[in-house]
Amino acid sequence: MHHFTIATVAEESADFRRVLWTGEKSQLVIMTIPPGGEIGDEVHEGIDQLLTFVSGVGEARVGGETREVRQGDLVAVPAGTRHNFVNTGVNPLVLYTVYGPPEHADGAVHRTKEEADRAEHAA
């Protein structure tokens, strides 16, 4: 069994992206987006994504729609849908996300967006 007090784990991580657990069909990842930062405009072909926001405020830009997100919100991004999440607040935007199937290397830790982008381009 893998057990996480997920909001606490997410809040305690300053990393842009940290893979916590990878299964055969899904993956759990925590993210911290700094003020003024963003995940970056992207599309995951064949991968659904659920994002749950732990703290901070931001914008969800999904499939041409924009909505504010804050603590307790969950956004579902169907496979093949263009999306981006932007921190519009003064504090970090902290979230956890589930990918199905997995998207990132098991155990991957990217301390910054730039480090994450380099790792994705190298794959």
Side-chain angles (χ1 to χ4, degrees), residues 36-118:
E38 62 183 76
I39 288 176
D41 194 43
E42 59 187 5
V43 175
H44 302 297
E45 296 297 339
I47 299 172
D48 291 324
Q49 188 175 7
L50 299 171
L51 301 97
T52 303
F53 296 85
V54 174
S55 64
V57 294
E59 281 185 355
R61 300 174 183 173
V62 180
E65 293 183 54
T66 300
R67 292 232 174 119
E68 182 180 281
V69 291
R70 60 182 54 250
Q71 180 180 3
D73 288 348
L74 182 144
V75 176
V77 180
T81 303
R82 181 163 302 283
H83 60 281
N84 191 6
F85 294 87
V86 179
N87 184 341
T88 59
V90 297
N91 296 310
L93 180 61
V94 179
L95 64 106
Y96 61 92
T97 182
V98 176
Y99 294 93
E103 167 71 354
H104 302 288
D106 187 29
V109 176
H110 302 122
R111 302 206 188 295
T112 65
K113 180 177 181 345
E114 294 74 24
E115 187 176 311
D117 289 346
R118 283 192 305 273

Side-chain angles (χ1 to χ4, degrees), residues 7-49:
T8 303
V9 172
E11 281 283 350
E12 290 175 351
S13 175
D15 298 318
F16 176 76
R17 180 186 299 132
R18 178 180 291 270
V19 175
L20 291 182
W21 177 83
T22 302
E24 183 181 333
K25 301 191 185 276
S26 61
Q27 182 173 64
L28 176 62
V29 175
I30 54 176
M31 298 186 75
T32 300
I33 304 167
E38 62 183 76
I39 288 176
D41 194 43
E42 59 187 5
V43 175
H44 302 297
E45 296 297 339
I47 299 172
D48 291 324
Q49 188 175 7

